[in-house]
């Protein structure tokens, strides 16, 4: 991030100087992020891509541009597309549509100031850039996170015998651990968190896979709580960090069953306490996530996704994330998916929100400016570096 | 709202000019509101009227004036009653008690700047003004919302045969749809949201009505989940907007069972998705409500009631309402009941809170001032106009 | 609190003068607090003492100093230990460790400006100061709260016959009522709030005690829901105030089962409505607690513990506590335990937060300054005085 024409802190008042400089220049690690769309999309697909929760088209009576992320795109991305900040939605769309996807990525991504993207390369209905392309387009390094449900589904789709599933899955996990820096589970979407978290015995896994295989679908979807417990414990066994989608997501998910407090039976297991567990997004349960990050040595959390979706109001969310969790237990992420606008705006809003909140605490004498800069570096990069061994 | 002696934005600093003018002058649609008490009330009844949650008298050791709405009345209504702003409680009460109810209404209601009141004319233990009187006293137009539970209870009290109930209720609903602009359910108070939302078959409705009728009360109260599901689906069948009381209310309600996430099984039904569903009040579950308003094309929400009850602290609630829901999915309401102070203060606090929050975003460059004015008009009036076809 | 070298409002801008003076000078009643460690502790024990939720050692990759309370200690306590504000953690620890515990207490406690400590003298794994020592070290008066579970456990450990338990417990309670000003239950830690709150019959109590005694442990732990209901109803029978731990606590507790809404079946009982019930801490369920304080004449709440753990961010929590509960239904507490830093910082942060929040409302004209000072005195001392008869 540089000063001058594109100043991410523009408009914020009285941010102490060293803190402002740190907030502008810090090279972030975005510890949970996805690629960008490879192919051109139409306006409908674009607007749907910044409505996380709905699975329907944007209704005719409105435009999704009239939302916090829509306003943030028009404010922050428009100038990088050569148009005025706050340009009208149609003008924004025209400028965006005039660029090939890769050109758009190259225009926006470098301004995110992300030195390292930790990418969930899991399934997408629309092709997205792989780590190599992200690195080329952004100038940042990349690492990979492997999604557990996807591994299991690929095994079943490959026609594995149910009795061989458990062993084969463990082999896949061990192989993945060779190149990935962590695993991710979307159990929130599949069963919710209120399942039996006891590691299932082999026979129960086999029985569950047998039932699953009997469905005979070509695109099998893991929704069995026994198998969810199995894949999570298999991942935990590697000792690699485990990311867990928590809270806000699309409406297939029962939001209240993705409350991280329902993970207590899992988190209280001493075997699980040897592995870093990273609670992702967490909105609107970020206070509960902060509690867990204080309560368990191995638990971390972020407020990715929420920051993008709250836009101008994200400062309050950022302040709320700085409550009861120790500062060593928080990480930065954008959870951007598909649109490079999200990769960029996630970074800008987080830098602004941190500068505004910490800046006030420094001005009021509660925090020293050195501490504020240090916490910014911890959450923005240092903690992720340590947890993932980057 | 006019400038000069009575400036609703007085004391707020640095609100951008055009935004301030819009916040002052905007003609609101109060999309969920009740009438004012027709008869004089004593001080005890007055104080109880701004404690929403309790069903007991205000205890002797305190006065309900010592609350956010009490302070807001003394700040904003006192000058309109001819006494100093912040006048002591006793003085406020004396000035108020000196006016006949209709005079009080005429003194306060016009200052709310409400062009259209969408009124829930449902049962009240104390007579309240009807739409005609509200229109006359305020200068605003009115429309009517019909409360489902009331219709059903009136049918039963009228001695209908259980086997005829379903058909008769549908006829009532169809008739109501001829003059009302929407329906309202208070299922939150009766069963909570965690019921079976499958549309019941006719025989189950008849059986439930038979059980209900057997209670033999002259003031029947609908509390059967089968009948709640029935009346809601009957209303949804008309396609008219359906208002749903959510969250904060009196203590008969299990607050945590009025969490809107528990409506997911209803909202996921494709038949329901053809009808606008308006989540009312929602505090303290307004973030959850915002999620549903993003997730479902037909879901809307407001933070009425809460704004009045939070008084000077309502700015934060207003900011929190502007998070993940698209701006086309939010509405203004006061949920005022009985006291014209609530009709007025609801409007003033909302105008102030919006001006303060959006003003800051404009000053910091996050939003354009045009967008801020436009969102103010959408939430304050435009969205309601569209949803109710006013 | 005095101006000059140690100004608790230092750094806050534009707090109205009389309000600032009240916030500095107000003699608080800390209505829920514990003693200070009697013996010297090592750094590990010190750091663990300001992580409330974890029951494990602070991990090697971090220091608990890097947290909101850690930063608050370094800001506010360092100067009283003769070092610079914001002194590094090692320097802070060295200065602290150089003082004998009682000297440390005498250095810090008087600056809390607490006129009266209402002390929970319940069991601690490390010896803590008793009321007499607290009074001597702080200059404040003390009263005592008796923990119900402890009384019951002592009875059982004393070898009581199960059939005599109920009567003996009532005798203990009656005796305690002679010297204590209230009781406290930690049912949140033992069963959660979602138990059957019907007063158990004598035979069921005897049966439960029989089962409990049969465990044959020398350190019996009350976890039986029948006995929890019994001890709570026995306490309520005395009419003395009953404190209830709510929300945030260590991880033995299922946070979501310590949501105060789950107390509704208890609070709706008319016999319970004759006794003041004080919901302690409540974070992150303080909005729910405020609702209950509005809904029930006998319910009160505080945000102790949370204020300390939120540090510089506690202003938002304080603002959120001033929402729907009448001002006569809120109290101040620190819930400090072990470290005199917590006794002091709890007071400072609350004074600052109240001055900042109320100061803004006064500046913006929403509240009169007289009202602001009055509410400060009510919540800081007056309400506790009335409830406990101090």
């Amino acid at each position: 991030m540089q000063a001058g024409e594109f100043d991410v802190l523009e408009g914020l008042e009285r941010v102490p100087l060293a803190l402002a400089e740190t907030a502008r220049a810090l090279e972030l690690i975005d510890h949970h992020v996805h690629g960008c769309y490879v192919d051109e999309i139409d306006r409908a697909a674009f607007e749907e891509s910044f409505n996380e929760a709905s699975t329907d088209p944007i209704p005719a009576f409105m435009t999704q541009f009239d939302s916090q992320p829509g306003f943030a795109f028009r404010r922050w991305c428009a100038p990088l597309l050569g148009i005025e900040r706050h340009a009208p939605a149609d003008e924004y769309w025209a400028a965006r549509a005039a660029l090939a996807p890769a050109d758009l990525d190259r225009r926006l991504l470098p301004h995110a100031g992300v030195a390292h993207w930790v990418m969930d390369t899991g399934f997408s209905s629309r092709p997205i850039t792989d780590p190599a392309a992200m690195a080329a387009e952004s100038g940042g390094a990349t690492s990979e996170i492997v999604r557990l449900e996807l591994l299991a589904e690929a095994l079943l789709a490959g026609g594995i015998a149910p009795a061989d599933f458990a062993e084969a899955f463990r082999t896949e996990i061990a192989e993945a651990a060779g190149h990935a820096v962590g695993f991710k589970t979307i159990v929130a979407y599949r069963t919710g968190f209120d399942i039996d978290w006891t590691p299932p015995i082999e026979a129960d896994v086999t029985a569950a896979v047998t039932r699953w295989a009997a469905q005979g679908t070509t695109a099998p979807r893991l929704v069995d709580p026994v198998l969810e417990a199995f894949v999570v414990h298999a991942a935990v066994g590697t000792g690699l960090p485990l990311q867990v989608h928590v809270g806000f997501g699309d409406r297939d998910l029962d939001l209240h069953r993705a409350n991280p407090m329902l993970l207590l039976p899992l988190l209280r297991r001493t075997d699980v306490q040897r592995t870093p567990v990273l609670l992702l997004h967490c909105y609107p349960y970020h206070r509960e996530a902060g509690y867990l990050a204080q309560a368990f040595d191995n638990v971390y959390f972020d407020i990715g996704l929420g920051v993008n979706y709250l836009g101008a109001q994200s400062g309050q969310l950022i302040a709320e994330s700085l409550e009861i969790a120790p500062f060593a237990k928080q990480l930065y992420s954008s959870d951007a998916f598909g649109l490079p606008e999200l990769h960029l705006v996630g970074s800008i809003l987080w830098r602004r929100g941190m500068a505004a909140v910490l800046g006030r605490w420094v001005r009021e004498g509660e925090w020293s400016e050195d501490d504020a800069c240090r916490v910014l570096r911890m959450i923005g990069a240092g903690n992720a570096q340590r947890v993932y061994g980057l």
Side-chain angles (χ1 to χ4, degrees), chain A:
Chain A
M1 290 289 138
Q2 59 292 330
E5 285 187 354
F6 188 74
D7 177 11
V8 295
L9 301 191
E10 188 183 326
L12 292 184
E13 294 176 3
R14 301 164 65 203
V15 179
L17 280 182
L19 176 63
E21 205 32 60
T22 304
R24 284 188 183 100
L26 178 61
E27 302 211 319
L28 295 175
I29 297 179
D30 188 337
H31 94 106
H32 181 76
V33 68
H34 307 259
C36 299
Y37 294 141
V38 169
D39 301 321
E40 284 183 17
I41 53 174
D42 62 17
R43 181 159 171 179
F46 175 67
E47 293 203 19
E48 285 160 25
S49 294
F50 57 101
N51 178 322
E52 178 80 11
S54 179
T55 50
D56 288 327
I58 306 298
F61 61 75
M62 62 168 279
T63 162
Q64 186 66 19
F65 270 106
D66 285 340
S67 67
Q68 291 282 13
F71 283 16
F73 294 175
R74 289 171 44 223
R75 162 65 183 93
W76 294 105
C77 305
L80 298 173
L81 303 184
I83 53 177
E84 291 288 307
R85 60 176 68 172
H86 309 304
D90 291 348
E91 202 177 314
Y92 184 89
W93 171 248
R96 185 195 204 279
L99 290 167
D103 291 336
L104 188 68
D105 296 350
R106 277 188 216 100
R107 199 75 77 94
L108 300 183
L109 294 178
H111 288 279
V114 170
H116 202 121
W117 311 89
V118 181
M119 294 179 68
D120 172 359
T121 53
F123 177 79
S124 160
S125 56
R126 217 182 281 280
I128 54 172
T129 49
D130 61 14
M134 272 293 286
E137 292 171 354
S138 71
T142 58
S143 296
E144 196 184 340
I145 295 289
V146 169
R147 211 186 280 191
L148 298 174
E149 289 78 8
L150 203 68
L151 269 193
E153 288 160 359
L155 263 187
L156 191 82
I160 193 149
D164 298 337
F165 182 89
E167 188 54 31
F169 188 80
R170 280 188 290 261
T171 304
E172 291 274 348
I173 284 285
E175 271 175 33
H179 63 92
V181 298
F183 295 101
K184 177 186 175 188
T185 175
I186 52 167
V187 59
Y189 278 103
R190 300 306 178 83
T191 63
F193 292 155
D194 48 347
I195 63 172
D196 180 357
W197 283 107
T198 316
I201 59 169
E202 214 82 359
D204 288 344
V205 174
T206 303
V209 176
T210 305
R211 286 192 304 271
W212 191 20
Q215 295 172 2
T217 167
T218 53
R221 190 175 147 87
L222 189 162
V223 294
D224 187 302
V226 170
L227 295 182
E228 276 292 357
F230 170 72
V231 300
V232 163
H233 283 288
V236 162
T238 66
L240 279 196
L242 175 70
Q243 300 184 343
V244 184
H245 175 109
V246 172
F248 181 34
D250 81 46
R251 76 188 194 210
D252 284 350
L253 159 160
D254 284 358
L255 186 58
H256 54 300
R257 299 180 58 214
N259 180 331
M261 295 316 303
L262 302 175
L263 289 171
L264 274 176
L266 178 69
L267 299 175
R268 283 188 180 131
R269 297 185 57 90
T270 51
D271 48 353
V272 171
Q273 290 171 12
R274 287 189 287 266
T275 299
V277 173
L278 300 111
L279 309 176
L280 304 176
H281 327 323
C282 302
Y283 178 93
Y285 304 118
H286 44 282
R287 280 175 160 163
E288 284 84 347
Y291 167 78
L292 294 171
Q294 182 186 129
F296 294 93
D297 286 1
N298 64 318
V299 173
Y300 299 78
F301 84 108
D302 75 44
I303 48 167
L305 190 59
V307 169
N308 260 323
Y309 275 87
L310 267 62
Q313 165 64 2
S314 58
Q316 184 184 331
L317 174 60
I318 289 167
E320 289 171 1
S321 74
L322 297 166
E323 296 189 346
I324 65 176
F327 305 127
K329 310 297 283 304
Q330 310 186 31
L331 286 81
Y332 166 74
S333 89
S334 65
D335 193 37
F337 189 107
L339 309 180
E341 282 95 337
L342 293 167
H343 298 77
L344 173 57
V345 165
S347 159
I348 294 174
L349 292 172
W350 187 80
R351 292 172 194 269
R352 286 176 71 81
M354 290 294 280
V357 171
L358 303 191
R360 182 163 58 79
W361 295 342
V362 171
R363 276 202 313 278
E364 294 180 353
E366 300 276 6
W367 283 29
S368 75
E369 192 167 0
D370 276 358
D371 280 332
C373 294
R374 197 163 56 84
V375 167
L376 204 52
R377 286 190 299 263
M378 288 170 76
I379 302 181
N383 294 335
Q385 216 155 12
R386 185 183 74 243
V387 172
Y388 295 100
L390 302 179

